[in-house]
Amino acid sequence: MIIMKFGGSSVKDAGRMRNVAEIIIKNIDKQPLVVLSALGGITDQLIDALTYAARQRPKKAKKEIDRIEQRHKKLISELFTESKYIDPLYQLIFQEIEKLRVLLGATETIRVESKRIANAVMSAGEILSSNILTQLLKSMGIASYCLDARKMIYVEFHDQDVVPLLGEIKKRAGKKIQKYLKDQQILVTQGFIASTRDGAPATLGRDGSDYTASLLGAALACEEIQIWSDVDGILTADPTIVPEARPLKTMTFDEACELAYFGARVLQPATIQPALESGILVRVLNSNHPDEKGTVIISGSDTDKDVVVKSIAYKENITLLTIESSRLLLSPKIMEEIFMILYRRGKRVYAVSKSATKVSITIETNSDQKSLVKELAKQGQVHVDQNKVIVSVVGEKMRKSHELNYKILQILDEESIHIDLISQFANQISLTFIVDEKDIERAVKLLHDKLIS
Ligand code: ASP
Ligand code: MG
């Protein structure tokens, strides 16, 4: 059995959904369990509707729900002509829309966006898309069944976190698969949505469908997990800056973590951890070019000896804060105090660098910057540098290539690209530094040109 996960952009309209069905059918001999996201943009619209309801804007909320309803009905009318396929889907839409109206009504009354209600609201997107795809496969002559992910993906809430219960998932998913696989050629289920043991609605967080795929892959000990999106796997750089960027054949889990952390818009590596821990191969593929091999993510180290630098990622909208204080020399407590301030404000700290009396920290630029700087000023003198970008050069073999750091700095220096802060982690699989926003295109192009292509 394999898991095939398709994201929202792969099923955003009738043409794309037919394309997905064809890709699935091509893999029929591998017994695919399909994990599907909501149609592209629907989850955002559902959240918007909820926000309008909480802010007492029922007309706007209704308009959003009407648009969601119309979009699904239009899709159905483009995919099917026979009422045996259309009627059950119209009935499902009716039920889901009714449920949404009730949930939004309740939200309007209580005037806040309850998390539980949000989970129930958001689930409509995946329920609709997965059932439409199942009908499409049936209309193409393939025996298919839509499994309810809320009866397989069990989670617990721990404060702010949602923790999947892998043992429970194994049990439930195993039973369901056994029951339905006998008579069906293809099984479909929803990504992203889950429930607690007592049936309360839950979700695995935005973009959570990859997580569902990974959990099911691990629970069912699948041969392979395929993550289908609309890029040719994981690329050597952002193609909008570097048109000659190309997909990587392989990438290690650690490299994927570095890349995602520093801005590459690839899959969230933490979500594929359950799969990799179980030794299951994860492949990132493009539904526009289904015959390409994509990128394989491996859990150990890479066997490709020749590739040193794998990819260059960058993250824009960064502020560099430098705090200067002689206390840094004397008292370790000040570091704790600085980081507590950032933690309390929910700031994610990217690269950090410390000297005897200074500590430099990079965070995303935000609207509360002024009050943050005011609070930090109690710890020392604060210098603020905005309009910065973090660049990260990533590759496992960088660990063994001692002259590479020097080369990177030389390439940038020759073109007079100023660097503010350099940081390298103990595992040494990446070199991270800060440049001015105005230099980012030049820096990424140059590094790609000299180190990768
Ligand atoms: N539909 C959900 C989202 O947009 C989950 C996913 O697409 O992975 O976040
Ligand atoms: Mg996604």
Side-chain angles (χ1 to χ4, degrees), residues 318-338:
I318 293 291
T319 295
L320 175 65
L321 296 171
T322 303
I323 300 137
E324 191 173 354
S325 165
S326 54
R327 274 178 66 213
L328 277 161
L329 203 58
L330 306 167
S331 152
K333 185 95 183 125
I334 179 173
M335 285 295 271
E336 183 189 327
E337 282 159 12
I338 291 169

PDB file of all heavy atoms in Angstrom, residues 318-338:
ATOM      1  N   ILE A 318      12.846  40.461   7.888  1.00  0.00           N
ATOM      2  CA  ILE A 318      13.560  40.139   9.128  1.00  0.00           C
ATOM      3  C   ILE A 318      14.119  41.421   9.764  1.00  0.00           C
ATOM      4  O   ILE A 318      14.566  42.331   9.068  1.00  0.00           O
ATOM      5  CB  ILE A 318      14.713  39.152   8.817  1.00  0.00           C
ATOM      6  CG1 ILE A 318      14.159  37.788   8.380  1.00  0.00           C
ATOM      7  CG2 ILE A 318      15.686  39.018   9.980  1.00  0.00           C
ATOM      8  CD1 ILE A 318      13.461  36.985   9.455  1.00  0.00           C
ATOM      9  N   THR A 319      14.057  41.471  11.078  1.00  0.00           N
ATOM     10  CA  THR A 319      14.691  42.564  11.820  1.00  0.00           C
ATOM     11  C   THR A 319      15.846  41.984  12.640  1.00  0.00           C
ATOM     12  O   THR A 319      15.708  40.918  13.248  1.00  0.00           O
ATOM     13  CB  THR A 319      13.683  43.229  12.785  1.00  0.00           C
ATOM     14  OG1 THR A 319      12.662  43.837  11.998  1.00  0.00           O
ATOM     15  CG2 THR A 319      14.347  44.286  13.651  1.00  0.00           C
ATOM     16  N   LEU A 320      16.944  42.700  12.611  1.00  0.00           N
ATOM     17  CA  LEU A 320      18.109  42.296  13.401  1.00  0.00           C
ATOM     18  C   LEU A 320      18.178  43.224  14.620  1.00  0.00           C
ATOM     19  O   LEU A 320      18.298  44.441  14.480  1.00  0.00           O
ATOM     20  CB  LEU A 320      19.358  42.450  12.534  1.00  0.00           C
ATOM     21  CG  LEU A 320      20.711  42.207  13.179  1.00  0.00           C
ATOM     22  CD1 LEU A 320      20.847  40.764  13.609  1.00  0.00           C
ATOM     23  CD2 LEU A 320      21.841  42.556  12.204  1.00  0.00           C
ATOM     24  N   LEU A 321      18.059  42.627  15.792  1.00  0.00           N
ATOM     25  CA  LEU A 321      18.122  43.412  17.032  1.00  0.00           C
ATOM     26  C   LEU A 321      19.445  43.115  17.720  1.00  0.00           C
ATOM     27  O   LEU A 321      19.773  41.943  17.931  1.00  0.00           O
ATOM     28  CB  LEU A 321      16.994  42.997  17.973  1.00  0.00           C
ATOM     29  CG  LEU A 321      15.562  43.255  17.515  1.00  0.00           C
ATOM     30  CD1 LEU A 321      14.589  42.590  18.473  1.00  0.00           C
ATOM     31  CD2 LEU A 321      15.287  44.752  17.451  1.00  0.00           C
ATOM     32  N   THR A 322      20.181  44.152  18.053  1.00  0.00           N
ATOM     33  CA  THR A 322      21.414  43.926  18.800  1.00  0.00           C
ATOM     34  C   THR A 322      21.289  44.608  20.160  1.00  0.00           C
ATOM     35  O   THR A 322      20.976  45.797  20.235  1.00  0.00           O
ATOM     36  CB  THR A 322      22.625  44.468  18.025  1.00  0.00           C
ATOM     37  OG1 THR A 322      22.634  43.835  16.751  1.00  0.00           O
ATOM     38  CG2 THR A 322      23.928  44.174  18.745  1.00  0.00           C
ATOM     39  N   ILE A 323      21.486  43.828  21.184  1.00  0.00           N
ATOM     40  CA  ILE A 323      21.395  44.373  22.544  1.00  0.00           C
ATOM     41  C   ILE A 323      22.803  44.424  23.120  1.00  0.00           C
ATOM     42  O   ILE A 323      23.507  43.411  23.122  1.00  0.00           O
ATOM     43  CB  ILE A 323      20.464  43.498  23.423  1.00  0.00           C
ATOM     44  CG1 ILE A 323      19.067  43.478  22.783  1.00  0.00           C
ATOM     45  CG2 ILE A 323      20.380  44.015  24.853  1.00  0.00           C
ATOM     46  CD1 ILE A 323      18.427  42.160  22.769  1.00  0.00           C
ATOM     47  N   GLU A 324      23.164  45.600  23.600  1.00  0.00           N
ATOM     48  CA  GLU A 324      24.519  45.791  24.105  1.00  0.00           C
ATOM     49  C   GLU A 324      24.442  46.104  25.596  1.00  0.00           C
ATOM     50  O   GLU A 324      23.704  47.006  26.009  1.00  0.00           O
ATOM     51  CB  GLU A 324      25.167  46.957  23.351  1.00  0.00           C
ATOM     52  CG  GLU A 324      26.633  47.062  23.615  1.00  0.00           C
ATOM     53  CD  GLU A 324      27.307  48.110  22.733  1.00  0.00           C
ATOM     54  OE1 GLU A 324      26.646  48.675  21.834  1.00  0.00           O
ATOM     55  OE2 GLU A 324      28.485  48.368  22.973  1.00  0.00           O
ATOM     56  N   SER A 325      25.169  45.318  26.376  1.00  0.00           N
ATOM     57  CA  SER A 325      25.167  45.573  27.819  1.00  0.00           C
ATOM     58  C   SER A 325      26.387  44.917  28.455  1.00  0.00           C
ATOM     59  O   SER A 325      26.747  43.792  28.104  1.00  0.00           O
ATOM     60  CB  SER A 325      23.897  44.984  28.441  1.00  0.00           C
ATOM     61  OG  SER A 325      24.047  44.906  29.840  1.00  0.00           O
ATOM     62  N   SER A 326      26.994  45.603  29.412  1.00  0.00           N
ATOM     63  CA  SER A 326      28.151  45.003  30.086  1.00  0.00           C
ATOM     64  C   SER A 326      27.702  43.845  30.975  1.00  0.00           C
ATOM     65  O   SER A 326      28.490  42.982  31.339  1.00  0.00           O
ATOM     66  CB  SER A 326      28.893  46.059  30.905  1.00  0.00           C
ATOM     67  OG  SER A 326      27.975  46.680  31.762  1.00  0.00           O
ATOM     68  N   ARG A 327      26.392  43.804  31.286  1.00  0.00           N
ATOM     69  CA  ARG A 327      25.870  42.672  32.065  1.00  0.00           C
ATOM     70  C   ARG A 327      26.060  41.345  31.319  1.00  0.00           C
ATOM     71  O   ARG A 327      26.105  40.279  31.936  1.00  0.00           O
ATOM     72  CB  ARG A 327      24.382  42.872  32.356  1.00  0.00           C
ATOM     73  CG  ARG A 327      24.112  43.711  33.608  1.00  0.00           C
ATOM     74  CD  ARG A 327      22.631  43.905  33.790  1.00  0.00           C
ATOM     75  NE  ARG A 327      21.930  42.671  34.088  1.00  0.00           N
ATOM     76  CZ  ARG A 327      20.678  42.423  33.690  1.00  0.00           C
ATOM     77  NH1 ARG A 327      20.025  43.304  32.974  1.00  0.00           N
ATOM     78  NH2 ARG A 327      20.105  41.290  34.013  1.00  0.00           N
ATOM     79  N   LEU A 328      26.104  41.430  30.001  1.00  0.00           N
ATOM     80  CA  LEU A 328      26.307  40.207  29.207  1.00  0.00           C
ATOM     81  C   LEU A 328      27.633  39.541  29.551  1.00  0.00           C
ATOM     82  O   LEU A 328      27.817  38.339  29.407  1.00  0.00           O
ATOM     83  CB  LEU A 328      26.252  40.525  27.713  1.00  0.00           C
ATOM     84  CG  LEU A 328      24.846  40.589  27.113  1.00  0.00           C
ATOM     85  CD1 LEU A 328      24.839  41.333  25.794  1.00  0.00           C
ATOM     86  CD2 LEU A 328      24.278  39.187  26.927  1.00  0.00           C
ATOM     87  N   LEU A 329      28.553  40.358  29.991  1.00  0.00           N
ATOM     88  CA  LEU A 329      29.875  39.863  30.353  1.00  0.00           C
ATOM     89  C   LEU A 329      29.844  39.160  31.711  1.00  0.00           C
ATOM     90  O   LEU A 329      30.553  38.191  31.945  1.00  0.00           O
ATOM     91  CB  LEU A 329      30.807  41.077  30.421  1.00  0.00           C
ATOM     92  CG  LEU A 329      32.292  40.903  30.247  1.00  0.00           C
ATOM     93  CD1 LEU A 329      32.605  40.262  28.918  1.00  0.00           C
ATOM     94  CD2 LEU A 329      32.971  42.276  30.331  1.00  0.00           C
ATOM     95  N   LEU A 330      28.962  39.665  32.563  1.00  0.00           N
ATOM     96  CA  LEU A 330      28.991  39.234  33.963  1.00  0.00           C
ATOM     97  C   LEU A 330      27.902  38.213  34.319  1.00  0.00           C
ATOM     98  O   LEU A 330      28.156  37.267  35.047  1.00  0.00           O
ATOM     99  CB  LEU A 330      28.822  40.455  34.876  1.00  0.00           C
ATOM    100  CG  LEU A 330      29.824  41.588  34.622  1.00  0.00           C
ATOM    101  CD1 LEU A 330      29.384  42.853  35.349  1.00  0.00           C
ATOM    102  CD2 LEU A 330      31.210  41.165  35.085  1.00  0.00           C
ATOM    103  N   SER A 331      26.690  38.455  33.807  1.00  0.00           N
ATOM    104  CA  SER A 331      25.586  37.660  34.321  1.00  0.00           C
ATOM    105  C   SER A 331      24.863  36.902  33.219  1.00  0.00           C
ATOM    106  O   SER A 331      24.320  37.493  32.284  1.00  0.00           O
ATOM    107  CB  SER A 331      24.602  38.597  35.033  1.00  0.00           C
ATOM    108  OG  SER A 331      23.329  38.065  34.981  1.00  0.00           O
ATOM    109  N   PRO A 332      24.820  35.569  33.320  1.00  0.00           N
ATOM    110  CA  PRO A 332      24.095  34.785  32.313  1.00  0.00           C
ATOM    111  C   PRO A 332      22.583  35.050  32.374  1.00  0.00           C
ATOM    112  O   PRO A 332      21.861  34.771  31.436  1.00  0.00           O
ATOM    113  CB  PRO A 332      24.413  33.334  32.676  1.00  0.00           C
ATOM    114  CG  PRO A 332      25.045  33.349  34.009  1.00  0.00           C
ATOM    115  CD  PRO A 332      25.431  34.744  34.363  1.00  0.00           C
ATOM    116  N   LYS A 333      22.135  35.597  33.498  1.00  0.00           N
ATOM    117  CA  LYS A 333      20.699  35.823  33.706  1.00  0.00           C
ATOM    118  C   LYS A 333      20.100  36.734  32.624  1.00  0.00           C
ATOM    119  O   LYS A 333      18.943  36.570  32.227  1.00  0.00           O
ATOM    120  CB  LYS A 333      20.546  36.457  35.091  1.00  0.00           C
ATOM    121  CG  LYS A 333      19.153  36.663  35.558  1.00  0.00           C
ATOM    122  CD  LYS A 333      18.688  35.493  36.422  1.00  0.00           C
ATOM    123  CE  LYS A 333      17.235  35.704  36.829  1.00  0.00           C
ATOM    124  NZ  LYS A 333      16.384  34.611  36.478  1.00  0.00           N
ATOM    125  N   ILE A 334      20.902  37.667  32.159  1.00  0.00           N
ATOM    126  CA  ILE A 334      20.377  38.622  31.173  1.00  0.00           C
ATOM    127  C   ILE A 334      19.935  37.911  29.884  1.00  0.00           C
ATOM    128  O   ILE A 334      18.940  38.286  29.268  1.00  0.00           O
ATOM    129  CB  ILE A 334      21.393  39.765  30.887  1.00  0.00           C
ATOM    130  CG1 ILE A 334      20.802  40.722  29.837  1.00  0.00           C
ATOM    131  CG2 ILE A 334      22.748  39.252  30.483  1.00  0.00           C
ATOM    132  CD1 ILE A 334      21.609  41.968  29.580  1.00  0.00           C
ATOM    133  N   MET A 335      20.634  36.847  29.509  1.00  0.00           N
ATOM    134  CA  MET A 335      20.224  36.098  28.314  1.00  0.00           C
ATOM    135  C   MET A 335      18.821  35.519  28.537  1.00  0.00           C
ATOM    136  O   MET A 335      17.963  35.577  27.674  1.00  0.00           O
ATOM    137  CB  MET A 335      21.205  34.963  28.020  1.00  0.00           C
ATOM    138  CG  MET A 335      22.512  35.400  27.433  1.00  0.00           C
ATOM    139  SD  MET A 335      22.356  36.138  25.796  1.00  0.00           S
ATOM    140  CE  MET A 335      22.484  34.680  24.775  1.00  0.00           C
ATOM    141  N   GLU A 336      18.621  34.971  29.732  1.00  0.00           N
ATOM    142  CA  GLU A 336      17.320  34.395  30.049  1.00  0.00           C
ATOM    143  C   GLU A 336      16.239  35.473  29.972  1.00  0.00           C
ATOM    144  O   GLU A 336      15.164  35.262  29.407  1.00  0.00           O
ATOM    145  CB  GLU A 336      17.365  33.785  31.459  1.00  0.00           C
ATOM    146  CG  GLU A 336      16.083  33.092  31.836  1.00  0.00           C
ATOM    147  CD  GLU A 336      16.050  32.675  33.295  1.00  0.00           C
ATOM    148  OE1 GLU A 336      17.111  32.329  33.847  1.00  0.00           O
ATOM    149  OE2 GLU A 336      14.958  32.719  33.884  1.00  0.00           O
ATOM    150  N   GLU A 337      16.569  36.646  30.521  1.00  0.00           N
ATOM    151  CA  GLU A 337      15.574  37.723  30.540  1.00  0.00           C
ATOM    152  C   GLU A 337      15.216  38.167  29.117  1.00  0.00           C
ATOM    153  O   GLU A 337      14.049  38.367  28.791  1.00  0.00           O
ATOM    154  CB  GLU A 337      16.095  38.903  31.373  1.00  0.00           C
ATOM    155  CG  GLU A 337      15.946  38.628  32.860  1.00  0.00           C
ATOM    156  CD  GLU A 337      16.862  39.469  33.741  1.00  0.00           C
ATOM    157  OE1 GLU A 337      17.463  40.441  33.225  1.00  0.00           O
ATOM    158  OE2 GLU A 337      16.977  39.141  34.933  1.00  0.00           O
ATOM    159  N   ILE A 338      16.222  38.299  28.279  1.00  0.00           N
ATOM    160  CA  ILE A 338      15.977  38.718  26.886  1.00  0.00           C
ATOM    161  C   ILE A 338      15.089  37.687  26.175  1.00  0.00           C
ATOM    162  O   ILE A 338      14.092  38.021  25.544  1.00  0.00           O
ATOM    163  CB  ILE A 338      17.319  38.901  26.131  1.00  0.00           C
ATOM    164  CG1 ILE A 338      18.051  40.117  26.678  1.00  0.00           C
ATOM    165  CG2 ILE A 338      17.092  39.030  24.628  1.00  0.00           C
ATOM    166  CD1 ILE A 338      19.494  40.253  26.197  1.00  0.00           C
TER     167      ILE A 338
END
